[in-house]
Amino acid sequence: MYNMISKLIINGRGILTLKKGLLAFISIVIFSCLFSLSVFSAETLVSIEADNENIVSVLKSIAEQAEVNLVVSKSVSGTVTVSLSNIPLEQALDSVVKSNNYLYKQENDIINVYSYEEIKQEERFSKVRTRVYTLKYADVADLRRILLSMKSSRGRIELNEKANQVIITDTQEKIEEVEIAIARLDQRPMLKKYRLLFAKAAEVQTKLLQVIPPAKGEIFVDERTNSIVVKATPVILNDVDELISGWDVKSRQVLIEAKILQVTLDKSVKTGIDWQYLKGKYNLNGNFAQNITTGSTVQVGMLDRRNYTAVLELLESSSDTDVLSSPRIVVMDGKEASILVGSSEPYMVQQKDTDTGLITTETKFLDVGIKLNVLPTITEDGYVIMQIHPEVSSARRVAEVDNALAVDTTEADTTMMVLNGDTVVLGGLIKDSHKLTVNKVPVLGNIPVVGLFFRNDVKEKVKQELVVFITPHIIEPNGTNDVLMREAQRIEDLTKRSMLLRRKIDDNKIKKE
């Protein structure tokens, strides 16, 4: 060989000939390497049928079909049952190896099968190295959780927040994994737009500002499209993705079904309905002697569906009971619902202009009657926590003060937790009213002036107790309770019509005055 090369060099064309020979030789070597790699990396299909056979024999059969080199550790043992037909080599190895709590690694053109214990042992004696990475865009503090989850049991990761550096001491394999992760995460800030479907953009912006300081990102609101635009690094944007996906969800709603009864009390029950008796008879839950108002006792309890119907029938059959209202209203979880059964009483307000001295008179209206404010909060286990504020008011004119408007009010505040579909009952709201009874002779009593001699007007003071039943029904956003959803839509439409009608009535009152 030496003599042949010498002759080539001596030849006038020797150098060129030598170069051509070397190029041909190198091409053959590269082609051979590529061919050997392509055989291993190609998606070779294998088939195997094994019924409780030795796992090593099964692995050898797969290697022979794929024409790859295989080394199996002596700690790999046991039997396996598989039935694979024309699947890629990698998938076949995963099915046999990983399903039996082993793992394999590709090293050059050899597949090595190990146990987990051997891999840990190998890592334990592997040489550790230290690398320092300085981040350009991302904050190392934001990467702490991700990086710590990547290190091995022998590894150590330190963060130099002042210099924005990551110092990692670990095996070469782990260092390379962390290096790839840092390259993906340490990217310049970018813009990302979030189109919100249910949450309000302004509210989401307020929440994000509490989590993301201005130094780490900018947050903009597009109210026209109800969108949020965030400019931040990919690490921060990943957190924003999770936050917005948790906030921008369709809220659950509550259909609040109320029934308001007015029970006229006779002489035998002047102190009100005997709720303690009903509690024992119907096994009612709750405290039925709860002092939560000034000067009177409001009684609170809970009824299940069966007892609710029974108590209603009892009150209607044994007392002078009138159903004042049966309102229904739909409200979002965590929002307050307001129900008014009454009227708007006008009153005059005078204002004096400090500059001109002119006095102007304005007509305002005050809602009186039965008010019910309910704020429901849905729990994860199907209960509804309700903050309830009932108020009973009546208006009267005070002749001694220019016929001014005075309001007598009885109100209460309580918080109850009730199962979805069960009922909260409020009793003890007792008020005094005047009842006018007219006794007259038929026909004669209706004659003007003369009829006064043939009739007798009796005014008497009576006590009346208001009983309020409140039943919450949870409306899930997945549409499973279609009946309640349709009812909710119907109530919402009726509420809008009622508000429009009330505005017209108030406008007519103002015009008449």
Side-chain angles (χ1 to χ4, degrees):
M1 175 65 71
Y2 173 79
N3 294 331
M4 183 181 69
I5 296 175
S6 300
K7 291 178 181 178
L8 288 171
I9 294 175
I10 294 171
N11 188 346
R13 299 181 181 178
I15 296 176
L16 180 60
T17 307
L18 176 60
K19 289 182 178 180
K20 289 182 178 179
L22 287 174
L23 287 174
F25 177 75
I26 293 171
S27 299
I28 293 172
V29 172
I30 294 174
F31 178 78
S32 301
C33 294
L34 290 175
F35 178 75
S36 62
L37 289 174
S38 64
V39 170
F40 184 79
S41 60
E43 198 169 286
T44 307
L45 302 180
V46 297
S47 300
I48 187 73
E49 291 286 341
D51 185 9
N52 201 28
E53 293 186 17
N54 187 281
I55 187 173
V56 177
S57 300
V58 174
L59 291 172
K60 286 181 178 179
S61 177
I62 293 175
E64 289 174 359
Q65 289 187 54
E67 298 181 355
V68 296
N69 299 316
L70 175 72
V71 176
V72 182
S73 170
K74 62 180 180 180
S75 63
V76 176
S77 62
T79 59
V80 63
T81 299
V82 293
S83 177
L84 306 174
S85 177
N86 293 327
I87 65 170
L89 171 62
E90 183 179 357
Q91 188 176 347
L93 289 172
D94 286 339
S95 301
V96 175
V97 174
K98 294 184 179 180
S99 61
N100 288 273
N101 294 322
Y102 296 116
L103 50 84
Y104 70 91
K105 294 172 63 178
Q106 176 187 338
E107 298 177 1
N108 299 323
D109 58 347
I110 301 174
I111 294 177
N112 295 277
V113 182
Y114 302 98
S115 65
Y116 282 97
E117 290 75 13
E118 289 175 317
I119 294 295
K120 291 179 181 178
Q121 189 75 5
E122 181 183 347
E123 291 179 350
R124 188 177 305 168
F125 293 100
S126 298
K127 186 178 180 180
V128 296
R129 297 172 174 81
T130 300
R131 293 280 180 86
V132 179
Y133 299 96
T134 302
L135 276 62
K136 294 182 179 180
Y137 308 107
D139 192 337
V140 292
D142 297 329
L143 304 182
R144 180 187 301 273
R145 178 173 54 88
I146 300 174
L147 296 177
L148 290 177
S149 66
M150 297 180 65
K151 74 179 186 66
S152 68
S153 57
R154 298 175 60 204
R156 186 176 72 255
I157 291 180
E158 300 177 8
L159 303 180
N160 183 357
E161 296 188 9
K162 290 185 178 180
N164 205 33
Q165 292 177 330
V166 179
I167 305 168
I168 176 170
T169 301
D170 215 322
T171 62
Q172 181 63 30
E173 183 180 358
K174 285 296 180 181
I175 288 177
E176 291 175 358
E177 291 179 6
V178 172
E179 186 175 355
I180 294 173
I182 290 177
R184 292 177 178 175
L185 297 172
D186 187 29
Q187 298 179 18
R188 65 177 68 250
M190 53 189 298
L191 285 173
K192 188 170 183 179
K193 184 176 182 179
Y194 300 88
R195 178 71 179 272
L196 305 180
L197 299 177
F198 307 105
K200 292 184 178 179
E203 295 178 359
V204 173
Q205 182 193 33
T206 303
K207 293 180 181 179
L208 287 176
L209 289 173
Q210 297 173 357
V211 180
I212 304 174
K216 292 188 178 182
E218 298 178 80
I219 305 169
F220 311 95
V221 172
D222 183 358
E223 295 184 354
R224 184 179 61 85
T225 60
N226 195 40
S227 301
I228 291 284
V229 179
V230 182
K231 183 180 181 181
T233 61
V235 179
I236 300 295
L237 291 177
N238 287 337
D239 294 336
V240 174
D241 291 344
E242 294 183 11
L243 291 172
I244 289 184
S245 63
W247 292 334
D248 189 31
V249 294
K250 190 173 183 180
S251 300
R252 291 189 289 182
Q253 300 181 85
V254 181
L255 170 62
I256 296 176
E257 184 179 7
K259 189 175 286 291
I260 303 172
L261 306 182
Q262 179 176 272
V263 181
T264 301
L265 307 176
D266 55 25
K267 295 181 180 180
S268 61
V269 286
K270 283 187 177 181
T271 58
I273 299 170
D274 190 351
W275 292 104
Q276 292 296 335
Y277 166 75
L278 295 177
K279 178 179 179 180
K281 181 175 181 179
Y282 293 102
N283 192 24
L284 309 182
N285 297 322
N287 186 356
F288 282 87
Q290 196 170 1
N291 294 319
I292 54 178
T293 60
T294 303
S296 62
T297 299
V298 173
Q299 304 182 48
V300 184
M302 287 187 293
L303 301 167
D304 57 24
R305 295 172 176 84
R306 179 177 56 84
N307 288 337
Y308 171 50
T309 304
V311 170
L312 275 180
E313 293 176 352
L314 176 68
L315 292 176
E316 292 176 352
S317 62
S318 60
S319 308
D320 185 5
T321 303
D322 295 321
V323 179
L324 298 183
S325 180
S326 299
R328 291 181 176 184
I329 190 170
V330 178
V331 63
M332 293 179 64
D333 180 23
K335 301 296 183 180
E336 187 177 60
S338 297
I339 298 172
L340 171 66
V341 181
S343 61
S344 294
E345 295 293 330
Y347 64 98
M348 310 301 293
V349 176
Q350 290 185 342
Q351 293 181 343
K352 183 177 182 180
D353 193 315
T354 56
D355 296 330
T356 63
L358 295 176
I359 298 176
T360 59
T361 302
E362 181 182 1
T363 302
K364 293 189 176 182
F365 293 88
L366 181 67
D367 293 332
V368 293
I370 302 170
K371 298 179 184 178
L372 184 62
N373 295 332
V374 182
L375 195 157
T377 303
I378 303 173
T379 65
E380 294 297 329
D381 52 355
Y383 281 81
V384 180
I385 300 173
M386 292 191 294
Q387 298 180 24
I388 305 171
H389 177 83
E391 179 181 323
V392 181
S393 59
S394 57
R396 55 184 174 86
R397 297 291 175 176
V398 182
E400 295 81 3
V401 192
D402 297 332
N403 205 32
L405 183 67
V407 178
D408 300 320
T409 303
T410 299
E411 57 185 351
D413 286 287
T414 185
T415 301
M416 297 288 291
M417 184 170 70
V418 60
L419 184 64
N420 177 33
D422 284 358
T423 301
V424 173
V425 54
L426 300 176
L429 295 168
I430 299 176
K431 65 175 183 177
D432 293 326
S433 59
H434 294 87
K435 181 179 179 182
L436 177 63
T437 304
V438 179
N439 299 316
K440 60 183 178 180
V441 177
V443 182
L444 296 178
N446 296 328
I447 300 175
V449 182
V450 179
L452 296 175
F453 299 98
F454 297 95
R455 68 181 183 185
N456 181 25
D457 296 342
V458 179
K459 261 189 178 181
E460 59 179 336
K461 186 177 181 180
V462 296
K463 287 183 176 292
Q464 295 174 324
E465 178 174 356
L466 291 175
V467 183
V468 181
F469 298 95
I470 305 171
T471 307
H473 301 279
I474 299 174
I475 302 176
E476 298 292 347
N478 55 13
T480 54
N481 36 17
D482 295 334
V483 176
L484 286 178
M485 292 294 288
R486 288 196 297 269
E487 181 67 13
Q489 186 62 47
R490 186 185 69 83
I491 293 171
E492 186 176 352
D493 294 340
L494 288 175
T495 303
K496 291 180 180 178
R497 294 177 193 169
S498 176
M499 291 177 63
L500 291 173
L501 181 60
R502 183 178 175 184
R503 287 176 186 171
K504 291 181 180 179
I505 294 173
D506 292 342
D507 292 341
N508 291 334
K509 286 184 178 180
I510 295 174
K511 290 178 181 178
K512 290 180 180 179
E513 293 176 358

